[in-house]
Amino acid sequence: MSSSDEDYVADSDDDAGANQPSAKHGTRSSGPVKASGDAGGRKRAAWEDIQRSWDTIVEGADGSINSAVEGLREAGKRKRLLKDTTPLQRGIIRHLILIIDLSFAMVEKDLRPTRYLLTIRYASEFVTEYFEQNPISQLGIIGMRDGIAVRISDMSGNPTEHIEKLKGLREQQGQGNPSLQNALEMSRAALFHAPSHGTREILIIYGALLSSDPGDIHETIQSLITDRIRVSVVGLAAQVAICAELCKSTNAGDEGNYSVALNEQHFRELVMAITTPPVTRTKKQSQSSLLMMGFPSRTLGSGKTMSFCACHSKLSRGGYLCSRCNSKVCSLPAECPACGLTLILSTHLARSYHHLFPLKNWIEVPWSVAWSENSKACFSCLSKFPEIPKDVGADGEPRRKPGEHKGTSESSRYACEVCGNHFCIDCDVFAHEVAHNCPGCQGDTRAGEKDGIVRDGARGDGDVVMVG
Amino acid sequence: MDRVDGTDHYEGDKQGPGPSLLVIVLDTNPHAWALLNPTLPLSKAISNLLVFINAHLASHNANQVAVVASHCHRSVWLYPRPEPPSEDVEMKDNAPALNDANKYRPFALIEDSLLTSLRELISTTTENDISTTNTTQMAGSLTLALTYINKATLLFSDSNVTSEPMSTTLEGPENTTGLQSRILVISVSGDLAHQYIPIMNTTFAAQRMRVPIDILKLAGDTVFLQQASDTTKGIYMQLRNPQGLLQYLMMAFLPDQTSRKNLVAPTQEVVDFRAACFCHRKVVDVGFVCSICLSIFCSPSEGAICLTCSTHLALGDYGSKPAVVPRKKKKKRKLNGGVGTPSSRGGTPMPNE
């Protein structure tokens, strides 16, 4: 919802001057509210209680809504940020089966352009993001149509393969009944070989409100539990009891994995949330082990003679040389055909390290602190902060203006608690969502040494040391 | 007439390639520059660099530049200069240099600012700072560079394109008209193993933003900068003759992303993909990886407990020679078979009899 609000606000920003004297929205909003008022003490249903973005906006002293719009924007950015940074044990090596509903229910047009096309689009985005977040994980795709489960792509670690297959689906249309049980059984079979140190997960995008199953689905759920497979469902129409039960029983009683999409944006958010590695709940769910891996160097081999690669016996110049036995492999990740060593690009592993050492949320800086530290510009991007008002002293109490949004800083400054530097909202978002580094902590190690805190590269950067 | 001219000019401007932002990360590690002094003193390198910066600014009227110094304990902005915290603005003697009629003013501004901040940086470096370390804050400088690029891209898109509410942080289609940013690292220091994770984080951030990281290596060798340039599709060059710095800068690093598509850029023959272990910060090519958190260790830890996530890890059957052991067993079995059943099989080696 929040995003659509923002959109509206962004639009209204342009014609704020034109609309301002009339303030027409009062009449528009009065409809349903009046109706409920006439009914007396009747309790209003959830759908009647609509939050309108234009009701919450307070005009500034000069009659413009610019400040309110800025505040809303910042609040939106910040909301994305303030996530839990508690270090939890997560299953990083994942095995996931994506089940897509391809039944008659997907022809509906309540999600634009159709449920079917939108699902395929989001599924492709999901695949990309999944491998971005979980580089050494595996994924397979299964479809449900005509009462059977259709294999769309096999378990593999190559995103392009999956996306190609998904593109092929675009030509077809949804038809027939979906069968949850068939799809679950097929994915159970596909996940059978997943090693014990990885997770086994199923994500179902479910448009229909029914499932035509050949047998008792509860037996399937039982076997999913014994195989320690977790199921998450994203519904498109309405809540279905069996899906809720399925998610609850396979996720150790946690119902959070079943949700129904409200609109396109919400649908996307729900699907993308699954790309974050799941929390490991019990020791039983994953048996950990120490894996021996090789990090081979790549050679282009230009100017040298061509040679056969050990994996496919194809002639090639470049390739990766196994770090133990020097046999040539043409692509990674792979298992060395000669000595059996798992070969992987170290950059694949390094992609997931920010999950291990999450950057702490930065705190809002009140005017009084901004005054005492006399910060004028963002530490990292050097853009200027708004001027400190003259009437704020060292004891300046926080003066929250009416209509100011919670979670945003009144002085537009955000501070890292470790290094104490002040940053702007854009750098805050960037550091937490993209870089996963604190520019201040990385940029100056002298301060820590003065305080006598011994820091070592990885842990001194404001990261939380993970405690299992 | 004027109006027609104006629109024409506007249209023509729109057609051309977009401006580019170059962020230079200058490694000012005192130890490494002291070693390099006989061949290429820092002062000469800086003057070469200034010529390069001027060339970059001259190639498009909207081109921008920023310089970060990666010093031994901190990373500092050299240009643009951060605002001094004190209220009293120094109105000192930079007027004569700026008023030189023989110098294009933007060039003079950058030169002045860069030299002043560099002098400031060197004068504030204490002996203690130098003696306690021999590496450089590369991760911090790269992070600063990336935040600056992020901000510049946001500002640029705000001012130029009114629609499209920005999606640089997400993987979007490659835009050719927007601000093209790249990072050039002039590196002289060696091993950066203790900053492995932050450096890799910046590398992936740069990859997501489609910002190439070019590496110009004057001395030493770093595995992770090689990986950074390879991942972000930048240029990696190790100079054999550092004296020719300016030549290399002008020929290899001046073209921006759009022109690079039509050029054969120098690449690295072998990319070193080794990783640094978390326990001793050693660079390893075969390591032990915890399946829970993917931490890399150079040897199985004592008691088989992961040092990062402290889970107990089942050690696989990783003997010292895994490929050899099963073969020996097979031989033994064969021998045993041969000895144990001599009467039934006799001396017939054929299996399908």
Side-chain angles (χ1 to χ4, degrees):
Chain A
M1 275 318 270
S2 66
S3 70
S4 61
D5 285 356
E6 274 170 31
D7 284 349
Y8 179 80
V9 169
D11 294 344
S12 66
D13 188 18
D14 305 330
D15 51 14
N19 264 356
Q20 193 198 83
S22 60
K24 281 257 165 57
H25 23 70
T27 54
R28 248 189 289 167
S29 63
S30 63
V33 180
K34 247 183 203 163
S36 67
D38 294 342
R42 181 173 68 92
K43 202 182 159 216
R44 280 159 57 160
W47 63 83
E48 286 178 306
D49 199 20
I50 307 164
Q51 290 226 330
R52 292 179 187 80
S53 53
W54 53 86
D55 288 342
T56 56
I57 289 179
V58 182
E59 280 178 12
D62 52 346
S64 79
I65 54 166
N66 269 342
S67 62
V69 170
E70 279 301 312
L72 275 177
R73 267 199 200 147
E74 232 181 273
K77 280 182 187 172
R78 189 84 177 141
K79 195 177 74 184
R80 271 183 283 159
L81 269 184
L82 289 176
K83 52 187 177 197
D84 199 4
T85 53
T86 339
L88 296 165
Q89 191 182 49
R90 294 180 184 273
I92 285 183
I93 304 176
R94 303 171 70 185
H95 300 86
L96 186 137
I97 293 283
L98 174 64
I99 301 178
I100 305 176
D101 191 347
L102 304 176
S103 67
F104 72 95
M106 300 301 281
V107 187
E108 291 277 340
K109 287 183 180 166
D110 51 355
L111 298 174
R112 279 165 294 165
T114 62
R115 283 187 192 177
Y116 187 83
L117 290 174
L118 192 74
T119 304
I120 287 171
R121 203 174 96 205
Y122 285 167
S124 319
E125 284 177 28
F126 171 79
V127 170
T128 320
E129 186 67 20
Y130 175 82
F131 284 108
E132 179 85 15
Q133 298 262 333
N134 314 281
I136 54 171
S137 302
Q138 302 274 315
L139 181 83
I141 306 176
I142 287 174
M144 297 185 284
R145 69 150 40 117
D146 294 331
I148 53 166
V150 194
R151 185 168 300 248
I152 295 168
S153 67
D154 291 323
M155 284 292 271
S156 86
N158 187 356
T160 45
E161 205 174 285
H162 298 299
I163 291 171
E164 279 304 309
K165 294 277 170 65
L166 282 173
K167 263 188 193 161
L169 278 183
R170 227 172 256 196
E171 315 298 310
Q172 303 167 17
Q173 259 207 335
Q175 59 178 11
N177 285 330
S179 168
L180 264 186
Q181 195 188 11
N182 283 336
L184 288 174
E185 285 293 347
M186 187 184 256
S187 25
R188 202 162 69 87
L191 289 170
F192 180 76
H193 293 289
S196 60
H197 54 73
T199 65
R200 299 169 174 193
E201 296 163 66
I202 296 175
L203 167 63
I204 307 177
I205 298 178
Y206 204 52
L209 295 173
L210 60 97
S211 163
S212 72
D213 294 334
D216 183 6
I217 194 166
H218 294 94
E219 281 172 20
T220 309
I221 295 178
Q222 272 310 314
S223 46
L224 285 174
I225 296 168
T226 45
D227 283 354
R228 54 177 197 82
I229 296 174
R230 321 160 172 210
V231 186
S232 324
V233 181
V234 175
L236 300 185
Q239 191 155 357
V240 181
I242 191 66
C243 291
E245 192 191 326
L246 176 65
C247 291
K248 194 177 170 188
S249 45
T250 54
N251 285 293
D254 184 14
E255 283 174 337
N257 288 26
Y258 180 41
S259 28
V260 178
L262 297 169
N263 50 32
E264 289 89 346
Q265 182 63 28
H266 188 226
F267 179 27
R268 189 171 188 280
E269 275 167 24
L270 289 176
V271 174
M272 288 304 161
I274 315 283
T275 56
T276 315
V279 174
T280 308
R281 286 220 181 71
T282 55
K283 282 235 169 82
K284 252 191 240 166
Q285 274 182 327
S286 73
Q287 286 160 356
S288 44
S289 56
L290 206 54
L291 315 165
M292 193 174 182
M293 287 185 182
F295 309 109
S297 294
R298 191 181 68 196
T299 169
L300 283 177
S302 54
K304 290 179 199 152
T305 47
M306 292 174 95
S307 57
F308 290 105
C309 70
C311 44
H312 305 95
S313 301
K314 277 182 188 156
L315 267 180
S316 63
R317 278 190 210 280
Y320 300 88
L321 299 181
C322 168
S323 31
R324 189 155 64 187
C325 66
N326 259 6
S327 25
K328 194 170 88 172
V329 186
C330 52
S331 69
L332 292 184
E335 199 162 87
C336 173
C339 68
L341 184 69
T342 314
L343 300 176
I344 190 164
L345 271 181
S346 55
T347 44
H348 282 161
L349 289 184
R351 251 172 219 283
S352 50
Y353 286 150
H354 64 84
H355 291 303
L356 293 185
F357 308 106
L359 190 57
K360 267 191 188 171
N361 283 335
W362 291 347
I363 51 168
E364 295 103 34
V365 179
W367 279 119
S368 54
V369 177
W371 184 83
S372 63
E373 304 215 346
N374 195 14
S375 60
K376 281 180 181 167
C378 169
F379 176 82
S380 52
C381 69
L382 302 179
S383 56
K384 278 183 188 156
F385 288 137
E387 289 263 327
I388 302 166
K390 291 278 184 292
D391 54 342
V392 175
D395 56 337
E397 65 269 24
R399 307 172 310 152
R400 272 198 178 273
K401 278 178 261 165
E404 193 133 10
H405 294 271
K406 224 187 158 191
T408 60
S409 168
E410 54 177 2
S411 61
S412 301
R413 293 158 171 86
Y414 298 88
C416 167
E417 286 179 280
V418 180
C419 63
N421 287 308
H422 292 182
F423 301 94
C424 64
I425 179 74
D426 291 315
C427 290
D428 187 354
V429 174
F430 177 76
H432 285 89
E433 298 215 318
V434 184
H436 306 290
N437 275 346
C438 168
C441 302
Q442 285 304 318
D444 199 339
T445 49
R446 292 174 312 168
E449 275 149 27
K450 267 182 210 155
D451 302 344
I453 306 163
V454 182
R455 301 175 178 201
D456 73 319
R459 290 179 184 183
D461 50 8
D463 289 345
V464 191
V465 178
M466 187 154 141
V467 188
Chain B
M1 277 306 278
D2 283 345
R3 207 177 48 148
V4 173
D5 275 349
T7 42
D8 268 351
H9 179 73
Y10 180 72
E11 297 267 315
D13 205 10
K14 270 278 179 186
Q15 296 297 321
S20 58
L21 164 65
L22 170 70
V23 182
I24 299 175
V25 175
L26 178 66
D27 184 351
T28 53
N29 186 356
H31 294 273
W33 280 107
L35 286 177
L36 209 60
N37 202 38
T39 46
L40 180 78
L42 179 61
S43 55
K44 200 168 167 242
I46 297 289
S47 60
N48 282 354
L49 191 64
L50 281 170
V51 176
F52 173 67
I53 289 172
N54 291 352
H56 169 76
L57 290 177
S59 54
H60 192 289
N61 60 356
N63 273 2
Q64 300 171 36
V65 76
V67 187
V68 199
S70 157
H71 207 54
C72 48
H73 271 293
R74 56 200 165 129
S75 15
V76 180
W77 280 108
L78 296 182
Y79 178 84
R81 297 187 66 187
E83 269 190 43
S86 57
E87 285 291 332
D88 47 326
V89 183
E90 295 155 64
M91 303 288 283
K92 54 171 183 135
D93 51 343
N94 48 12
L98 292 176
N99 288 338
D100 187 353
N102 293 321
K103 210 164 204 172
Y104 182 48
R105 196 177 151 85
F107 293 175
L109 273 173
I110 288 176
E111 185 183 321
D112 180 68
S113 156
L114 197 141
L115 292 179
T116 320
S117 12
L118 195 64
R119 272 197 205 101
E120 212 167 80
L121 172 68
I122 290 169
S123 61
T124 51
T125 310
T126 59
E127 243 171 72
N128 188 35
D129 285 347
I130 301 175
S131 56
T132 44
T133 183
N134 57 359
T135 57
T136 182
Q137 282 317 108
M138 190 51 74
S141 316
L142 285 174
T143 317
L144 282 183
L146 285 173
T147 45
Y148 188 82
I149 288 175
N150 177 49
K151 189 74 171 196
T153 318
L154 282 173
L155 288 177
F156 186 82
S157 61
D158 271 359
S159 62
N160 277 34
V161 190
T162 43
S163 60
E164 283 196 59
M166 212 48 247
S167 59
T168 40
T169 50
L170 297 169
E171 293 237 19
E174 206 164 342
N175 60 336
T176 47
T177 50
L179 186 68
Q180 304 244 333
S181 314
R182 63 185 198 273
I183 298 177
L184 167 64
V185 181
I186 297 175
S187 166
V188 288
S189 307
D191 201 16
L192 298 167
H194 63 290
Q195 295 172 29
Y196 178 56
I197 295 172
I199 286 194
M200 292 323 277
N201 281 346
T202 53
T203 304
F204 298 125
Q207 191 189 16
R208 287 192 84 169
M209 297 163 72
R210 293 170 195 277
V211 171
I213 300 180
D214 300 335
I215 311 288
L216 178 68
K217 205 93 186 87
L218 289 173
D221 192 30
T222 31
V223 179
F224 309 124
L225 291 183
Q226 276 188 31
Q227 294 181 11
S229 81
D230 179 71
T231 317
T232 56
K233 298 192 179 75
I235 296 171
Y236 184 90
M237 261 194 131
Q238 174 113 37
L239 298 199
R240 284 195 204 95
N241 303 311
Q243 294 94 326
L245 173 66
L246 182 60
Q247 184 72 19
Y248 286 107
L249 282 173
M250 294 301 239
M251 298 315 288
F253 295 99
L254 191 57
D256 62 356
Q257 284 103 303
T258 26
S259 16
R260 274 181 200 181
K261 282 177 200 152
N262 308 316
L263 296 171
V264 181
T267 48
Q268 27 190 347
E269 169 80 0
V270 175
V271 187
D272 200 330
F273 277 112
R274 288 179 299 167
C277 75
F278 285 27
C279 44
H280 304 96
R281 311 250 156 235
K282 275 195 283 189
V283 180
V284 291
D285 56 358
V286 176
F288 292 87
V289 176
C290 167
S291 68
I292 299 293
C293 62
L294 301 185
S295 316
I296 304 167
F297 301 105
C298 53
S299 58
S301 54
E302 286 167 43
I305 286 172
C306 172
L307 297 175
T308 312
C309 60
S310 35
T311 29
H312 185 81
L313 300 166
L315 260 179
D317 43 350
Y318 295 118
S320 50
K321 292 162 189 166
V324 182
V325 176
R327 216 188 289 160
K328 263 186 191 168
K329 270 183 190 166
K330 266 184 197 168
K331 266 187 190 169
K332 268 182 192 168
R333 257 184 220 153
K334 264 186 192 171
L335 276 176
N336 286 344
V339 173
T341 54
S343 52
S344 60
R345 303 290 290 174
T348 47
M350 301 299 279
N352 297 332
E353 235 184 2

